[in-house]
Amino acid sequence: MKVGATIPATFGLLLIACPVGAAELSADPNAYSEPAWSPYLVGSLIGLLSMMTFYFSNKPLGASTAYARVAGMIGSAIAPRHTASLKFYQDKKPRVDWEVMLVVGAIGGAFLAAWTGNELTLRWTPAMWEARFGDSVGLRLAVAFVGGVLMAFGARLAGGCTSGHGISGTMQLAVGSWIAVICFFVAGIAVAMLMFQI
Amino acid sequence: MSEPNKSTTNEKVRPITQLVLGAVFGIAFGFLLQKGGVAKYHILMGVLLLEDFTVIKVMLSAIIVGMIGVFSLHRMGLVQLHLKPTRYAANILGGLLFGVGFALLGYCPGTGAAALGQGNYDAVSGVLGLMVGSYLYAEASLVLSKSVEKWGDRGQLTLPNLVGLPTLTFVLGFVPLLAAVLWAIERAGSGG
């Protein structure tokens, strides 16, 4: 039980120590510059965060199921019997769980990070999108919506997303996770090239 | 298959504590994603256009640290693994569909939440799409579970199982390999 006490203490120290190692914050919100913190530092801290979620919550980091649970909650409000009849929602009950809180927390955490780093964007179309496709908000929202639909269907079929497969699954050396993440990038690269380089 | 397992161990943690922990971990996750630059549209599209490798650097660093950490904790008997099943057809088809959506949306489910928090309002539309797509999958879940998800179902298969090595040996070889990939990317980037 001694180990159980030292491990949280170690995690705590690491978290306190981390901002000291962080690079200077950048100021321009839309500059195509270096990220505020080194990607190696951020990645390593996400690795430590994964250890903490395994240890304290018995859960791997993952984001996509949260959207499915919230969709199920909305579905249950509109068509309760139909939603309850679906196989997926019999396996994954539509309710607020750890993962929903994780995604809600991530929105807040990113706000804090952008706010403290003076990187709040507060815009409807990303600069890079505008340079290629113009400043129509409707077009951007429509494409983003369709992208979201395909992405969520794909995530559920593949069994996870860039977090669940791409980080948590790959670090546990699951074969399916490595296959899925390679497929994410293969198709993503093909479509991105079509969008921006043709 | 791991469901009964999961529910028994989760009983140690009170449900409300679990929700608070989820929020705390989420805040840390979103904070790190934003600070790492991976909540930004051009950084995420940059990796798909093979022009910016921030996403790969973040992911591989997380995988290396997490792999060493989680397997160490597992050997000490402090954590359980949560392996997702390997289903070749579903992993490939779902993965490709996800990739198409990734390029169109420009964010993924985790970084989309972070993008929203950062003030990229277009992520709202992506979030709505993610919920609709999830519900559509649920509509098809019975049919898919009897077809595509059965094709090439290998259960909790790991890379060490596949090549026939003990996990420890595999990790000792794999970590330097991933580190070498990072080193090569860094060299290619700075070498011009």
Side-chain angles (χ1 to χ4, degrees):
Chain A
M1 262 340 344
K2 221 178 137 200
V3 193
T6 50
I7 286 195
T10 316
F11 284 137
L13 276 178
L14 282 164
L15 276 193
I16 292 161
C18 81
V20 181
E24 284 300 304
L25 306 174
S26 83
D28 185 353
N30 293 307
Y32 285 20
S33 58
E34 293 289 302
W37 290 6
S38 152
Y40 302 112
L41 172 70
V42 166
S44 304
L45 290 173
I46 290 174
L48 286 176
L49 185 66
S50 293
M51 294 170 65
M52 292 173 68
T53 64
F54 269 88
Y55 183 77
F56 290 104
S57 292
N58 192 26
K59 299 257 188 201
L61 282 177
S64 59
T65 317
Y67 296 92
R69 294 215 197 248
V70 175
M73 288 164 68
I74 297 168
S76 298
I78 297 169
R81 266 188 299 173
H82 178 68
T83 303
S85 75
L86 299 174
K87 181 184 185 299
F88 178 77
Y89 287 123
Q90 287 164 1
D91 300 339
K92 306 249 179 206
K93 295 288 175 219
R95 57 179 164 78
V96 173
D97 73 335
W98 184 87
E99 223 168 62
V100 173
M101 295 304 286
L102 186 86
V103 169
V104 172
I107 300 173
F111 170 76
L112 284 176
W115 183 43
T116 56
N118 197 18
E119 286 197 321
L120 283 172
T121 53
L122 310 178
R123 51 190 293 164
W124 286 94
T125 49
M128 180 182 177
W129 171 276
E130 271 185 26
R132 176 77 178 170
F133 300 105
D135 59 2
S136 161
V137 172
L139 178 67
R140 171 58 190 149
L141 295 189
V143 173
F145 181 82
V146 172
V149 171
L150 297 177
M151 171 175 269
F153 198 98
R156 290 282 56 77
L157 183 57
C161 62
T162 339
S163 317
H165 269 318
I167 294 179
S168 307
T170 50
M171 74 170 57
Q172 296 176 80
L173 303 172
V175 173
S177 296
W178 281 95
I179 292 173
V181 75
I182 289 166
C183 291
F184 296 167
F185 281 100
V186 166
I189 288 167
V191 174
M193 295 280 184
L194 284 173
M195 287 170 69
F196 281 90
Q197 292 187 347
I198 300 290
Chain B
M1 96 203 61
S2 58
E3 287 301 324
N5 234 335
K6 225 181 251 179
S7 55
T8 47
T9 43
N10 278 351
E11 275 164 15
K12 286 191 297 189
V13 187
R14 283 168 53 221
I16 183 75
T17 313
Q18 221 12 349
L19 292 183
V20 172
L21 280 174
V24 170
F25 291 138
I27 291 169
F29 190 42
F31 191 90
L32 290 170
L33 291 174
Q34 202 285 331
K35 286 296 187 197
V38 292
K40 293 173 184 162
Y41 180 83
H42 66 273
I43 298 272
L44 293 164
M45 291 308 286
V47 73
L48 297 183
L49 295 169
L50 306 177
E51 287 172 355
D52 182 291
F53 294 96
T54 307
V55 173
I56 302 292
K57 292 175 191 174
V58 170
M59 285 180 76
L60 285 181
S61 311
I63 291 168
I64 291 171
V65 172
M67 190 186 301
I68 297 169
V70 168
F71 279 117
S72 302
L73 293 176
H74 186 244
R75 278 181 86 87
M76 289 188 262
L78 295 172
V79 299
Q80 292 181 332
L81 295 183
H82 295 279
L83 283 164
K84 289 177 185 289
T86 294
R87 297 172 177 142
Y88 288 126
N91 292 145
I92 292 169
L93 292 173
L96 293 174
L97 200 55
F98 183 100
V100 174
F102 188 10
L104 293 176
L105 174 55
Y107 313 116
C108 49
T111 55
L116 184 57
Q118 175 190 260
N120 294 25
Y121 300 134
D122 53 335
V124 173
S125 190
V127 165
L128 292 176
L130 285 167
M131 294 200 280
V132 170
S134 302
Y135 200 87
L136 289 176
Y137 170 83
E139 292 281 353
S141 55
L142 185 62
V143 175
L144 290 169
S145 70
K146 288 178 178 167
S147 54
V148 183
E149 292 172 6
K150 281 216 158 78
W151 304 340
D153 186 349
R154 295 288 182 276
Q156 297 189 330
L157 182 67
T158 66
L159 293 173
N161 298 153
L162 197 66
V163 298
L165 283 173
T167 303
L168 179 62
T169 315
F170 187 90
V171 169
L172 289 176
F174 201 48
V175 164
L177 181 72
L178 295 178
V181 171
L182 278 178
W183 180 79
I185 290 172
E186 194 61 50
R187 232 180 108 83
S190 61

